[in-house]
Amino acid sequence: MSQSRGYFDDNPELESALEWAERWYHVPILLVLLGFMLWNRVRSWQNFIIDGEVYFSGNDAWYHLRTTRYTVQNWPSTMPFDPWTYFPYGTSSGQFGTFFDQIVATVALIVGLGSPSDQTVAMTLLFAPAVFGTAVAIPTYVIGRRLGGRLGGVTAVAVLAFSAGSFLQRSMVGFSDHQVAEALFQTLGVLGVMVAVSVAARDKPIYEQFLERDLDALRDTVGWSVLAGVAIAMYLWTWPPGVLLLGILGLFFLLRLCIEYVHDDSPEHTAIAGAITMSTVAVLSASRLQTLQITATSHSLLQPGMALAVAVGCVFMAWLARYMERSDYERYFYPATVFGILAVGIAFMAVALPDLYGFFVNNLSRVVGFVTTTSGGTVGEVAPLSDPSVLFNRHGFAVLVAAGGAVWLAGRQLLDEDAPAEDLLVVVWGAILLMATFTQRRFAYYLVVPIAVLTGMAVGRVVRRFDLVPDDGIEYYQVLTILTIVLVVIAPLVLIGPTTTQVGQSANPGAGIQGWDESLQWMQTHTPAEGAYGTGESGSLEYYGTYPRQEDYDYEQGTYGVMSWWDYGHWITTRAERIPNANPFQQGSDTAAQFLIAPNETRANGVLDNIDEDDAKTRYVAVDWKMAETNGNIGGKFFAPPRFVEGVQGSDYYSRMYVQTQSGGFRQVTFQKQAYYETTVARLYRFHGSAAEPQPLVVDWENKQTSAGTQYRGAPTNEEEPAGQQQGRILRQFESMEAARQYVQNDPTSQLGGYAGTPAERVPAMEHYRLVGSSESEAFNSARYQSSAWTKIFERVPGATVEGTAPANTTVRAAVQMHNPATNKTFVYRQQVQSDQNGNFEMTVPYSTTGYDEWGVDEGYTNVSVRSRTAYQFTAVGTHNGSRTAFTDTTQITEGQVIGEDETTATVELTPVEVTTGNATDGSLAAPSTSETSAQPAS
């Protein structure tokens, strides 16, 4: 007898306490872990309350706010169709407005006593991900306990609680997306199948019992199988693309039934559980059909079809096992036959149903086949996980322990006839999710649960295997060994950053939505309501209306779209209450990309004309600094649109250079090419539609090579520089364009312009786009933006026609100074044309100088905030009395002329003047540059 046993015999009270601790120790530990998970996820909730209003992280949460409010008003119905996004088509909610929103809406109705305010709904949605994320710990514990005992369950929850990966990030307060609900219901579904197949293995149901209606013998198997099907259906109701789970279960039943037959055990019991489970899924998923097509992004024939296929497959394999048993075939002939039939079926589909075959192959390769499309790579959660060390950084040694446990369980399935079916299910589940995570990093928030339960299994079984469970008194080596094992798994998660507490403490809505929100609130109050553009009537499109499902919504006159990159579509819908052309469903992304990188205004207008309706058109364009920034390392998103357009790539617009930092590392910088400055997004954000002239600035580099032989562009540290130029400088400023061009001609590793707003060649002005408003918040402090607004709103207008006379065959320049009160900055819009042989010229200008108060929201037009400081000034240089002379004139352009309500033409007649400012050789004005400059408030 051990010394501790004798000590306890002498202390019965202590022995009783020990027995209680051995029986119930897991309860207080679990309560502490659950409490920590919830506290850590909600501790920063006040960061999301700004000026009394609730904000959310990311993009999708805002659309969930919209669909949840709709469900509150129409409970329990979800939004069938939404014309407030994807202009000019509208869209069905698809993977939004589903079970997740119904749950949140129901809770909000309870909290709000049947009539919750918008604030109550928003607060409920704010906290929902933290509650869902904490709830995942419950099925995680049960699975861990089933695999590794109570210690295994506790260990699994500890790994889940302290892992700082994407699951934590997506279950933080404010990250109110359906993803954390997916994780909960998927885990419940897997747990349900584990219980169902285990009960089937215990009760051994057979087909004849159904014929005899032996309900007592079938009750447990049928009951648990139906519950498993309900859990899986709830997962699909939350996220229709979750058919991946159906594929995982199909693979599990395929492998398990073959293994059972080879091990001389009847696969019929497991097959019955599988058939009932998947039939339940088929029935429940069919109850939510939205379309009779086959698509993964909405409730279609795909979900019930796949579930039914797995159910039929289970029944067929059970029948085949009986047939081969009666025919006395060799055991290994069964899996060979099954896989042979499966191969023939796939070949038949490829030949007879090529479209369906292509659909499955394409989706399979994009989800678990390590294939990423060019456009998909621009989406953060769809991009592949290229660095495996990320898993270790987020989950520590638990990754290695889980991998070892999975290999051990898989080996048992092949070698041990008594290995339970649920062990194989967890292995298949974890393996497929690992493949999915490396293909699309979004699946990492699923993967944490298999890692946690496999780790718990390994810890629990090691403790039992080596007799570390105290059953006759506690030995010190047992305590030390168990503590060592747990610390090896848990300590790295707690001590190595980023830790869960660091992630929890830093949760906030992010600068993006705050940078956009000011301009979107401006749009809501300074632009006509949807359905009122050009009419002056009240908005006719009900914001929370119920619209029947349709392919293409017919918008009424006065409805309009707002063009921007798809990332910002939900913000435009929910914060500005306007209709974006593109949204985070990636609907309209191709059109948005074509518009944003269109190389000229004609092409850009053509993109919009191709989608606009006769009475509903795209009227506004919203751009932020990220859309114009080419360096993705600092948040730039310009790299994305070229991936959606055939025939172009990012290298057509910018190049990369790597500069050594003071710490010895390298940082990436990007420099633009001329094609970049000619894109619509650059011309709008950087130049406000004005013409831009080249400047005597040169970007210089040197071709270098790393120790591994990789070629890259670096600072020119080894070049011999001409007099007056410092060695090693990337940017070189010259006194004239001639000197800059001469330097570039002599140095092939340099280019003219390319930094900030300095093109290599002249960029012409735009005639139909004007800056009308912006955010007050500025882009990050950098010379690349010169304190520009974070977000800028442009309006597409017919423009005012100006006709005039000037010296024949000369360049006529127009300029007007504009003031943006949001940033208190001014800029100059410039345009130039060539007069004909008779001295006549014509131009179209987008900015007005007078008449702002005559045309505003009440009249169905924009209440323009960006207004002129001067009249338009026209200049040219010609010959007068035998000498070179400047010719000038000024004119006012009314708001009515710009928006097309006043069809009169503005006229100017340039007359010679004595030049006292500017440069008489080019007719330029002594006016501010095109870039924004500080200004005093307008009077």
Side-chain angles (χ1 to χ4, degrees):
M1 182 174 65
S2 67
Q3 293 179 351
S4 59
R5 180 73 264 172
Y7 179 75
F8 291 134
D9 289 340
D10 296 333
N11 296 270
E13 293 182 358
L14 185 59
E15 180 179 7
S16 176
L18 175 63
E19 291 176 353
W20 185 91
E22 290 176 358
R23 179 177 300 179
W24 301 106
Y25 76 91
H26 60 290
V27 174
I29 295 177
L30 287 175
L31 290 176
V32 170
L33 289 173
L34 288 171
F36 168 77
M37 290 180 66
L38 183 60
W39 167 80
N40 189 50
R41 283 163 169 75
V42 304
R43 59 192 295 207
S44 301
W45 71 272
Q46 290 180 319
N47 293 342
F48 294 84
I49 310 300
I50 302 175
D51 295 331
E53 191 168 2
V54 180
Y55 281 71
F56 299 91
S57 298
N59 306 314
D60 292 347
W62 289 96
Y63 198 77
H64 274 296
L65 177 64
R66 170 168 169 74
T67 54
T68 300
R69 283 176 173 168
Y70 176 91
T71 301
V72 166
Q73 297 178 17
N74 300 272
W75 193 89
S77 299
T78 58
M79 186 180 294
F81 184 85
D82 191 1
W84 282 84
T85 188
Y86 191 28
F87 183 86
Y89 308 105
T91 187
S92 59
S93 297
Q95 55 188 288
F96 283 78
T98 54
F99 193 46
F100 172 76
D101 302 307
Q102 289 176 310
I103 294 173
V104 177
T106 302
V107 174
L109 284 166
I110 295 173
V111 173
L113 301 178
S115 182
S117 64
D118 285 347
Q119 184 78 356
T120 298
V121 176
M123 290 295 290
T124 305
L125 184 63
L126 181 73
F127 285 94
V131 176
F132 276 102
T134 304
V136 174
I138 298 173
T140 299
Y141 169 76
V142 178
I143 296 176
R145 187 186 64 183
R146 294 182 65 87
L147 298 178
R150 286 180 298 172
L151 179 60
V154 171
T155 303
V157 174
V159 171
L160 183 70
F162 294 111
S163 290
S166 58
F167 172 75
L168 172 62
Q169 296 164 4
R170 282 163 171 75
S171 59
M172 292 298 301
V173 63
F175 201 100
S176 303
D177 202 348
H178 51 76
Q179 294 170 340
V180 66
E182 297 170 34
L184 173 62
F185 292 120
Q186 184 188 91
T187 306
L188 286 172
V190 171
L191 174 59
V193 176
M194 291 174 65
V195 175
V197 296
S198 297
V199 171
R202 182 196 68 194
D203 296 347
K204 300 188 183 306
I206 57 175
Y207 170 69
E208 285 74 14
Q209 290 176 310
F210 288 91
L211 296 179
E212 298 170 359
R213 298 184 179 181
D214 188 356
L215 299 182
D216 290 336
L218 295 173
R219 182 178 292 109
D220 288 350
T221 298
V222 173
W224 283 108
S225 297
V226 169
L227 288 176
V230 171
I232 297 169
M234 289 193 295
Y235 169 62
L236 295 175
W237 291 346
T238 303
W239 193 53
V243 289
L244 172 64
L245 179 58
L246 302 183
I248 292 173
L249 295 175
L251 178 60
F252 158 70
F253 285 117
L254 175 67
L255 296 177
R256 180 62 191 182
L257 298 183
C258 289
I259 290 173
E260 288 179 346
Y261 190 87
V262 170
H263 284 168
D264 200 18
D265 192 8
S266 173
E268 187 171 350
H269 321 310
T270 301
I272 288 175
I276 296 174
T277 297
M278 302 311 287
S279 296
T280 303
V281 175
V283 172
L284 293 178
S285 59
S287 68
R288 291 219 172 193
L289 275 181
Q290 296 175 332
T291 175
L292 295 180
Q293 298 177 341
I294 294 180
T295 174
T297 56
S298 62
H299 296 288
S300 69
L301 293 176
L302 179 64
Q303 292 82 11
M306 283 189 63
L308 187 61
V310 176
V312 171
C314 289
V315 173
F316 171 77
M317 291 183 69
W319 170 85
L320 182 64
R322 282 197 174 195
Y323 173 80
M324 288 192 168
E325 185 74 28
R326 291 195 304 266
S327 303
D328 200 24
Y329 284 98
E330 291 291 335
R331 288 287 164 181
Y332 287 99
F333 192 71
Y334 178 80
T337 302
V338 171
F339 281 97
I341 293 173
L342 186 62
V344 171
I346 294 174
F348 175 80
M349 180 188 294
V351 174
L353 302 169
D355 291 341
L356 184 62
Y357 173 80
F359 171 82
F360 280 108
V361 170
N362 178 57
N363 282 277
L364 193 64
S365 61
R366 291 192 304 110
V367 175
V368 295
F370 310 106
V371 174
T372 304
T373 62
T374 301
S375 58
T378 67
V379 186
E381 65 179 28
V382 178
L385 183 66
S386 56
D387 185 5
S389 65
V390 171
L391 294 179
F392 181 82
N393 293 338
R394 297 296 183 263
H395 310 296
F397 288 109
V399 173
L400 304 179
V401 176
V407 171
W408 183 69
L409 289 181
R412 282 196 65 201
Q413 291 290 315
L414 299 176
L415 302 176
D416 187 353
E417 296 181 0
D418 296 327
E422 62 181 16
D423 289 4
L424 179 63
L425 174 57
V426 174
V427 171
V428 173
W429 181 37
I432 298 301
L433 289 185
L434 181 64
M435 296 171 60
T437 299
F438 279 109
T439 305
Q440 294 185 22
R441 65 182 63 182
R442 79 180 307 276
F443 294 107
Y445 61 84
Y446 290 164
L447 184 62
V448 64
V449 180
I451 290 176
V453 298
L454 285 169
T455 301
M457 181 279 302
V459 171
R461 297 200 184 189
V462 165
V463 169
R464 284 188 295 184
R465 173 71 174 174
F466 293 98
D467 194 25
L468 300 176
V469 179
D471 54 3
D472 188 28
I474 299 177
E475 299 291 349
Y476 292 118
Y477 81 91
Q478 294 174 323
V479 176
L480 292 176
T481 304
I482 293 175
L483 288 176
T484 300
I485 293 174
V486 173
L487 286 176
V488 166
V489 174
I490 304 302
L493 300 177
V494 178
L495 300 177
I496 300 177
T499 64
T500 53
T501 54
Q502 291 173 337
V503 174
Q505 188 177 17
S506 61
N508 61 80
I513 179 60
Q514 297 178 68
W516 271 80
D517 201 43
E518 294 164 352
S519 59
L520 296 178
Q521 294 301 302
W522 177 93
M523 177 175 283
Q524 188 178 33
T525 57
H526 287 69
T527 62
E530 291 288 356
Y533 192 96
T535 67
E537 301 175 357
S538 60
S540 58
L541 193 65
E542 188 178 351
Y543 188 62
Y544 284 114
T546 299
Y547 303 90
R549 196 180 310 278
Q550 53 199 288
E551 293 295 327
D552 187 354
Y553 187 81
D554 185 16
Y555 290 94
E556 297 180 359
Q557 182 178 1
T559 311
Y560 57 89
V562 179
M563 175 59 71
S564 189
W565 189 229
W566 63 261
D567 287 20
Y568 308 113
H570 293 338
W571 293 352
I572 294 172
T573 297
T574 58
R575 300 303 293 167
E577 295 189 6
R578 299 296 181 262
I579 309 175
N581 293 77
N583 57 42
F585 303 139
Q586 287 204 6
Q587 295 169 327
S589 55
D590 291 344
T591 300
Q594 293 171 19
F595 175 84
L596 293 173
I597 64 172
N600 53 64
E601 188 172 9
T602 301
R603 184 84 63 84
N605 290 336
V607 171
L608 299 183
D609 293 339
N610 286 338
I611 64 170
D612 284 348
E613 300 177 356
D614 292 338
D615 50 1
K617 301 182 182 298
T618 301
R619 299 292 185 180
Y620 297 93
V621 182
V623 296
D624 70 347
W625 69 267
K626 293 186 176 184
M627 294 166 61
E629 174 55 57
T630 56
N631 192 341
N633 286 352
I634 59 174
K637 297 185 177 183
F638 184 88
F639 72 91
R643 298 189 182 183
F644 287 79
V645 179
E646 293 186 4
V648 298
Q649 52 189 350
S651 58
D652 296 334
Y653 301 97
Y654 59 89
S655 57
R656 295 184 177 90
M657 186 183 304
Y658 297 90
V659 181
Q660 191 168 12
T661 62
Q662 294 180 350
S663 62
F666 287 87
R667 64 180 179 90
Q668 174 186 296
V669 294
T670 56
F671 294 100
Q672 290 69 242
K673 300 180 180 181
Q674 181 63 22
Y676 163 82
Y677 292 102
E678 294 172 353
T679 63
T680 302
V681 65
R683 295 170 72 183
L684 291 177
Y685 186 84
R686 292 192 179 276
F687 309 133
H688 306 144
S690 173
E693 302 293 339
Q695 302 297 321
L697 180 74
V698 169
V699 175
D700 196 9
W701 69 87
E702 180 180 300
N703 293 325
K704 297 186 176 183
Q705 181 174 297
T706 65
S707 57
T710 303
Q711 300 288 331
Y712 73 97
R713 289 180 174 182
T717 56
N718 299 317
E719 293 182 353
E720 292 186 6
E721 303 297 342
Q725 290 297 324
Q726 182 179 349
Q727 191 178 45
R729 293 186 63 86
I730 298 174
L731 299 178
R732 302 187 183 280
Q733 187 75 42
F734 293 84
E735 294 183 356
S736 66
M737 290 298 301
E738 290 76 14
R741 291 192 175 98
Q742 183 64 43
Y743 183 91
V744 172
Q745 184 176 354
N746 295 332
D747 185 353
T749 57
S750 64
Q751 70 173 46
L752 183 64
Y755 178 75
T758 57
E761 303 172 13
R762 185 178 187 276
V763 176
M766 305 184 79
E767 299 179 343
H768 301 286
Y769 297 87
R770 61 173 180 173
L771 178 68
V772 290
S774 75
S775 62
E776 296 180 9
S777 299
E778 298 180 345
F780 70 95
N781 187 19
S782 169
R784 297 168 72 94
Y785 296 98
Q786 300 176 346
S787 301
S788 286
W790 187 292
T791 309
K792 301 177 182 180
I793 308 298
F794 295 85
E795 182 182 15
R796 184 188 182 193
V797 292
T801 300
V802 180
E803 295 179 352
T805 59
N809 302 316
T810 60
T811 299
V812 180
R813 294 178 170 86
V816 60
Q817 187 182 70
M818 307 298 297
H819 173 249
N820 181 3
T823 59
N824 195 29
K825 303 292 192 302
T826 63
F827 65 93
V828 175
Y829 171 81
R830 302 177 188 275
Q831 188 183 152
Q832 69 181 41
V833 295
Q834 197 76 11
S835 63
D836 62 19
Q837 60 185 2
N838 298 317
N840 298 319
F841 69 90
E842 179 181 305
M843 68 169 60
T844 301
V845 294
Y847 287 96
S848 59
T849 59
T850 62
Y852 297 111
D853 296 334
E854 298 177 12
W855 301 99
V857 173
D858 292 340
E859 291 73 33
Y861 290 100
T862 308
N863 184 7
V864 179
S865 291
V866 179
R867 302 187 176 189
S868 72
R869 283 288 185 84
T870 65
Y872 273 90
Q873 184 167 3
F874 293 80
T875 62
V877 174
T879 302
H880 179 65
N881 295 331
S883 61
R884 298 283 289 173
T885 306
F887 289 72
T888 68
D889 195 8
T890 61
T891 190
Q892 300 284 355
I893 302 295
T894 68
E895 179 72 3
Q897 289 175 308
V898 167
I899 62 177
E901 288 288 350
D902 182 353
E903 297 182 357
T904 62
T905 300
T907 60
V908 293
E909 182 177 352
L910 276 66
T911 57
V913 296
E914 181 181 354
V915 178
T916 58
T917 60
N919 187 335
T921 62
D922 63 5
S924 62
L925 290 172
S929 62
T930 304
S931 60
E932 293 177 313
T933 57
S934 299
Q936 296 298 320
S939 58

